[in-house]
Amino acid sequence: MDGAKAASDLRFDGTDDYVATADLTLAVNAAITLQRPLLVKGEPGTGKTVLAHEVAKALGLGLIEWHVKSTTKAQQGLYEYDAVSRLRDSQLGDEKVKDIANYIRRGKLWEAFVADKPTVLLIDEIDKADIEFPNDLLLELDRMEFFVYETGVVVKAARRPIVIITSNNEKELPDAFLRRCFFHYIRFPDADTMADIVEVHFPGIKQALLREALASFYELRDAPGLKKKPGTSELLDWLKLLLVEDIPPEALRAKDAKSAIPPLYGALLKNEQDVQLFERLAFLARRDGR
């Protein structure tokens, strides 16, 4: 069985440490079957990056991560020619300058293409880069090969990696790129799913505390005008603090939905504008007697 077919036979069903919804597991398996990159969007804190880690762990695959920055160029994912080092070595009379291959630095796609075992390749936050970045990878991700001009060598994937690409929707991606991907949007977890996620991280947590904490959390997320809504990681940090400080459930239960800021709110609200907004909402609620 060749590497590509072997990869297409794999099935992802989530892991003990990652609560994957039915539609997410379906999307992962569809991308594997179609042998297309899985493009995952969703607000920060919905587990997009962690998904690649969990897919690799569940399927027993290697993981190669390419974290994209605003200055990242697509070429860096293939290879880079280190002309500066070659010039320096030539000035020193080093014999290795005769072979230009000594100065070709492999990128993350190259590493994934020649990996010894089937691999998950994570291209994280692709929307941070220049708008041309996705288009510059079209052929390489499509054909699973690229040409090294300096050496005249074609690098071809020994086995097709499972490619997972994340985006925070900071900018629109080109249509030609989108056509080559299987797309999935991770919706923010509802209260029942979030309770399952919390149980994974805090087994046996008291249901009264969990119930009140989730009510306060979603209430805060729904406050109009928040600059940054708290995500799953903020909720987990907050719960950890509540447990360490032994905050009782009744301390979270306000008489009115917006009559008080939750204790230890610094784990949930990350800028002064949101703190001031919530304080104003609390003041208005108290003033109106609601």
Side-chain angles (χ1 to χ4, degrees), residues 42-91:
E43 69 175 83
T46 49
K48 300 185 298 298
T49 301
V50 177
L51 174 64
H53 291 255
E54 297 303 319
V55 169
K57 181 167 66 174
L59 303 181
L61 307 180
L63 175 66
I64 294 176
E65 302 177 71
W66 185 12
H67 298 286
V68 177
K69 301 177 181 179
S70 59
T71 56
T72 303
K73 302 299 181 184
Q75 180 65 31
Q76 295 171 309
L78 307 180
Y79 70 91
E80 292 184 277
Y81 169 47
D82 191 352
V84 174
S85 291
R86 193 181 188 202
L87 175 61
R88 183 184 64 243
D89 289 345
S90 69
Q91 292 170 339

Side-chain angles (χ1 to χ4, degrees), residues 125-271:
E125 297 189 328
I126 194 171
D127 52 325
K128 279 189 174 180
D130 184 86
I131 189 62
E132 291 304 318
F133 180 94
N135 278 338
D136 290 342
L137 292 176
L138 286 180
L139 289 179
E140 289 77 12
L141 291 177
D142 228 11
R143 298 177 181 175
M144 286 287 143
E145 67 179 44
F146 62 89
F147 184 70
V148 182
Y149 293 94
E150 289 79 1
T151 62
V153 172
V154 174
V155 177
K156 188 175 178 63
R159 50 183 66 82
R160 179 179 288 268
I162 296 173
V163 181
I164 296 179
I165 303 171
T166 72
S167 169
N168 286 326
N169 252 346
E170 291 183 10
K171 63 169 66 80
E172 290 295 321
L173 299 174
D175 289 344
F177 179 78
L178 295 175
R179 283 197 298 271
R180 288 167 168 82
C181 298
F182 189 91
F183 172 76
H184 182 72
Y185 184 85
I186 299 182
R187 292 179 175 81
F188 195 82
D190 59 23
D192 290 339
T193 303
M194 189 65 83
D196 293 337
I197 293 172
V198 170
E199 183 63 32
V200 168
H201 293 269
F202 303 104
I205 187 172
K206 292 181 180 179
Q207 291 303 300
L209 176 63
L210 177 59
R211 184 173 57 252
E212 296 298 339
L214 287 179
S216 295
F217 172 74
Y218 281 100
E219 190 176 282
L220 191 153
R221 271 185 59 87
D222 291 339
L226 275 185
K227 185 175 181 181
K228 184 190 180 306
K229 293 184 178 183
T232 305
S233 60
E234 285 86 4
L235 172 63
L236 295 175
D237 286 346
W238 186 49
L239 282 170
K240 182 177 181 179
L241 290 173
L242 294 179
L243 291 170
V244 168
E245 298 296 329
D246 198 23
I247 302 295
E250 52 269 21
L252 308 179
R253 191 185 308 126
K255 293 180 181 179
D256 179 82
K258 295 185 177 66
S259 62
I261 298 179
L264 300 168
Y265 65 84
L268 299 172
L269 301 175
K270 298 299 184 176
N271 59 70

Side-chain angles (χ1 to χ4, degrees), residues 3-12 27-40 51-65 112-113 115 117-123 141 144 157 159-165:
K5 189 175 190 314
S8 65
D9 287 340
L10 298 172
R11 298 287 299 175
F12 174 69
V28 172
N29 291 320
I32 293 173
T33 299
L34 294 173
Q35 297 184 2
R36 289 186 177 274
L38 173 63
L39 174 61
V40 184
L51 174 64
H53 291 255
E54 297 303 319
V55 169
K57 181 167 66 174
L59 303 181
L61 307 180
L63 175 66
I64 294 176
E65 302 177 71
F113 285 3
K117 59 185 288 189
T119 300
V120 173
L121 171 63
L122 168 65
I123 304 177
L141 291 177
M144 286 287 143
R159 50 183 66 82
R160 179 179 288 268
I162 296 173
V163 181
I164 296 179
I165 303 171

